[in-house]
Amino acid sequence: NTISSGFTIGSWVNFSNANSPTYQKIIHAQSGSSPNASEVNLDNYTGVSGSARYHFYTHRWDSTSTNDVLTSSILIVNNTWTHIGAVYDNSTKYKFLYINGTPNVSAPTTNQIIWPDSGTRIGRRLNDTEPLNGQIATVSLYNQALTQFQVWQNFNAYKSRYGIPDIVTDGLVLNLDAGNPYSYLSGSSGTTWSNTVAVSSSISGTLVNGPVYSNGAITFDGVDDYVSSLNMPTFTTMSVSTWVNVKNI
């Protein structure tokens, strides 16, 4: 069936050699005849520099026979699992390309893009050319334009399968995670909030004056609850991040 309201393609792909041949299809769809024929490609593209980039190409055979092309600003890294998200939003007539859940490039389209209804092929063009040299692990197609958060959510759901850690661990010295039973065991009345970083396990916190665990978080009463005994080393450069839910500011 045709999809005219917008669509999203998501795929985990691993190119063995993205530089040759010039085009290698992740997914290809094409259908119909002029003036309503359309084509959708998600593939690589090796330009004049000889270095391959991700390529989201659509074509509409109408009175103007328009092409709309998005080419990633980053190069494809061979032998590396990468999540590609390609989104077309018909309400705004915009296309978006995401790499590992992060927006990479976007641009308006010349005309409405309709998902072809005659044929879709994965790993090769419908005319049996432009085969992919590599691996494809997942392909998903939505009949709507996913939001940036939804594309990131899909990337995040599978990333550990492809060796991408849940959080950045380089330089990490403290990670208190109330939703992790290795950090705080829910259902206990303990006062120790343990650091999950093994090399810095001695840096842990003590819950003082009664903060309690609830639904994956430590709840503070806004009066006198706090965490102490974080014997941190000295830093000259640092980054701090936290998930917080303030009840009354």
Side-chain angles (χ1 to χ4, degrees):
N1 295 327
T2 58
I3 301 174
S4 58
S5 59
F7 59 84
T8 301
I9 308 167
S11 182
W12 280 94
V13 62
N14 183 358
F15 282 94
S16 296
N17 183 0
N19 294 320
S20 180
T22 298
Y23 294 103
Q24 299 176 42
K25 290 292 179 280
I26 300 172
I27 189 169
H28 177 243
Q30 186 173 342
S31 71
S33 57
S34 182
N36 295 315
S38 58
E39 180 181 8
V40 177
N41 295 270
L42 183 59
D43 54 15
N44 71 319
Y45 172 64
T46 304
V48 294
S49 65
S51 299
R53 301 174 186 269
Y54 297 102
H55 185 240
F56 180 22
Y57 166 88
T58 54
H59 187 93
R60 180 77 183 272
W61 283 274
D62 54 15
S63 58
T64 58
S65 187
T66 55
N67 297 323
D68 290 297
V69 180
L70 281 183
T71 303
S72 68
S73 64
I74 64 173
L75 301 178
I76 296 175
V77 180
N78 289 328
N79 302 305
T80 301
W81 283 107
T82 305
H83 183 262
I84 309 302
V87 178
Y88 167 64
D89 187 344
N90 185 53
S91 66
T92 60
K93 300 295 190 296
Y94 252 80
K95 288 169 59 175
F96 305 84
L97 189 61
Y98 295 82
I99 311 296
N100 283 343
T102 301
N104 185 256
V105 290
S106 63
T109 60
T110 307
N111 208 339
Q112 179 188 27
I113 303 169
I114 299 176
W115 184 271
D117 62 352
S118 295
T120 299
R121 181 171 287 186
I122 296 169
R124 197 171 188 176
R125 192 178 176 89
L126 281 166
N127 65 0
D128 292 327
T129 62
E130 301 175 1
L132 184 136
N133 180 12
Q135 299 173 289
I136 298 174
T138 69
V139 177
S140 57
L141 173 64
Y142 294 82
N143 62 357
Q144 62 179 332
L146 295 190
T147 65
Q148 177 180 338
F149 178 80
Q150 289 171 325
V151 173
W152 175 86
Q153 182 179 7
N154 284 351
F155 158 73
N156 194 58
Y158 288 95
K159 66 181 183 180
S160 62
R161 183 186 296 181
Y162 305 102
I164 301 175
D166 288 333
I167 61 174
V168 176
T169 57
D170 186 24
L172 184 65
V173 295
L174 176 70
N175 185 46
L176 303 179
D177 181 359
N180 183 338
Y182 291 100
S183 186
Y184 190 86
L185 184 60
S186 62
S188 75
S189 57
T191 58
T192 300
W193 197 359
S194 298
N195 187 7
T196 64
V197 182
V199 296
S200 305
S201 58
S202 61
I203 307 172
S204 293
T206 300
L207 307 184
V208 179
N209 293 331
V212 295
Y213 173 90
S214 177
N215 298 321
I218 302 298
T219 300
F220 298 80
D221 63 8
V223 179
D224 60 358
D225 291 352
Y226 65 98
V227 179
S228 71
S229 302
L230 294 171
N231 299 314
M232 304 297 296
T234 300
F235 302 112
T236 55
T237 303
M238 70 193 75
S239 298
V240 180
S241 66
T242 183
W243 282 94
V244 63
N245 181 4
V246 180
K247 290 185 178 180
N248 187 355
I249 56 173

